Amino acid sequence: MENQTQAGLRRIAIEPISRVEGHGKITLLLDDEGHVKQARLHIVEFRGFEKFIEGRPYYELPLLVQRLCGICPVSHHLAAAKAIDQINGVKQLTPAALKLRQLLHWGQLLQSHALHFFHLASPDLLFGYDSDVSKRNIIGVLKEYPEIAVQGVKIRKFGQEVIRAVSGKRIHGIAALPGGMNQPLDREVYQYLTAEIDQIVEWSKDAVELARRLCLEDTELFNSFASTESPYMSLTDEKGGLEFYDGNLRVKNADGSILNDQFPNERYTDLIQEEAKSWSYMKFPFLRSIREAQGGDSGWYRVGPLARINNCDSISTPLAEHYRQDFMKIAGNPLAHQNLAFHWARMIEALHCAESIQKVLADPDLFSLDLVAKGNRQSSGIGIIEAPRGTLFHHYEVNDDDQVTMANLIVSTTSNNFAMNEAVCSAANQHIDGNEVTPGLLNLLEVAVRSYDPCLSCATHAIGKMPLHVEMLDSKGQLIHQLSKNSNGEFS
Amino acid sequence: MADQKIKVATCSLGGCFGCHMSLLDIDEALIEVEKHVQFDRSPITDIKNISKCDLGLIEGGLCNEENVHVLKDFRENCKVLVAVGACAINGGLPAMRNGIDVQDCLKEVYQTGYNLTTDIIPDDPEIPRLQEKVQPLHELVKVDYFLPGCPPPAPAFLELITALLEGREPNIDYPHRRFD
């Protein structure tokens, strides 16, 4: 859509952003010479979960909040579960409950990563960014690259079946209880899982190779496209290894040095704060220490697969560790900041999940009935977990009647809000500025956002629906996101 | 399935995308469906504007003015319009905000909320205004079918599409009529 603003600038809106989960919109403002004056990503939906779950009994939380998102319901289910474990004073789950939760989470990450790479992003990578719109989708991939598409569909199916085996349903199942889990693994689905897992590990390995090849096919594009340097945040285990379910927070600076390590989860508000802007329902979190030192819009950071692979010192499964070392050697200098490297990192994680599932499926604890631990009731709980798209925070306070009195949710995509806006600005400056605007070039802006695998469903949890909108507005617009700024994240 | 191709558009309004995920849960059957179905506007394609379609699948309720606009657009262009899932059928979980004033909701999230450094309530013209109440689709337009569930299971989607191709009424098996 195209029209004129009051200031006489050309406004271009890309709406809705497609092949992402949820609703977003990008706006550009161009002057007479076609120079980009503003580029913004807007989230246009708002649901208000934080408000309407007040007053609900806390043990309903895992079921309520997973409805934030149909793509990663398990992440919200488990983040809430970790918080309500604490409310029940449970510090240590039974071995069976812990393994079931980890298995559930690996299934979630595997299916979500496969969905993103194969169903949503691969058409850009396989056909090209400016290819025919009618085939630039998973159906087109099924026709032209049936082997790749079918493997993607089956990897996702396997992840979904892992979720069904633990929670009874592929989407919005029921698994976690305060202090544990409600049932052992489903034996019928287990037969399918054990029969398929070796193949899934093999295909996941192929997927890493494919992502690697597609990234390196055009190294100039790979290294320059919408590239931006930033700090990274993720959980790591006590030794600094890759960890999705437990662990503490680590933040690395853009130069690879460590800013915070083993930062206690309960003190997360000392690490980050959030601010709002008038043009997006999605908030903008930032690192407090950097903002206090540098002011302005400084302190933004990234989360997700790239952050986790950059942050961790090792991966516990052999194949994924091999590919992590390979990735860091080729893309890391010392960290990998490339926008498209998200895809590569995402597939390394998918492989790690497949390997981890392979290992845990041999564990008889999955059928144990020792599933719930008990403790002394507390008044608050903070559950932090690595969702497919990055670090996810659920923080609740409850009263003596078991009602929720405060909820603070920072969903993964929110942490990448600044970064995605930066990526849009960077891509617009690189490819649109001064050029004739074509649909192919506009798709490049979506490609820059798509790398982050943004989940705008999650991001719009605030009350309904938040659209994501990248906007380049004129100099009279509020809170101008100037495209003339450098790619180091200095917002003017 | 019959030989002709039907044109299908899908979208999510105030939903969580779980219904779209469940549609993709038909797994390998997607290969067969592709032979009979052409996808128009949908989150899985890059087609941004809907054209005349045989079938429109909508998940999510009406949360904001943009949702209303998109729903009307779908109704105008789709021969058969289906409300998919709990939110489209009765508002679902997002309708839990209906007992609360919208301004109170916004205030809580953006002004008095936890660990915030600003008190800005987003109000830019680029952002759609919220509806006072979250509404189901049938309160605004005629809905031809309701596919229940949170989300409806994959076989229910498959039966709906198959029935349309075969020119008969859909018949969802009892186990696949979900109300959770």
Side-chain angles (χ1 to χ4, degrees), chain A residues 119-144:
Chain A
H119 296 66
L120 302 177
S122 78
D124 293 322
L125 303 167
L126 291 166
F127 295 133
Y129 306 110
D130 53 357
S131 55
D132 181 5
V133 171
S134 66
K135 72 169 184 183
R136 208 168 60 207
N137 53 57
I138 181 65
I139 303 292
V141 180
L142 266 170
K143 275 191 204 153
E144 294 202 23

Side-chain angles (χ1 to χ4, degrees), chain A residues 62 66 71-79 81 96-112 158-177 180-183 185 193 244-245 353 356-357 360-361 366 385-386 388:
Chain A
Q66 70 182 346
I71 300 128
C72 58
V74 166
S75 308
H76 293 288
H77 190 76
L78 289 179
L98 180 62
K99 284 168 195 169
L100 283 166
R101 284 196 190 177
Q102 286 173 327
L103 173 62
L104 179 63
H105 198 34
W106 287 321
Q108 165 69 86
L109 280 144
L110 183 62
Q111 75 83 14
S112 176
F158 182 87
Q160 290 287 73
E161 286 296 279
V162 168
I163 294 170
R164 187 165 76 90
V166 179
S167 73
K169 251 173 107 188
R170 283 182 168 197
I171 298 158
H172 302 327
I174 302 174
L177 298 173
M181 294 289 275
N182 67 353
Q183 61 183 6
L185 196 68
L193 298 179
F244 298 129
Y245 179 79
C353 291
S356 302
I357 292 168
V360 82
L361 281 179
L366 297 178
I385 200 167
E386 284 294 329

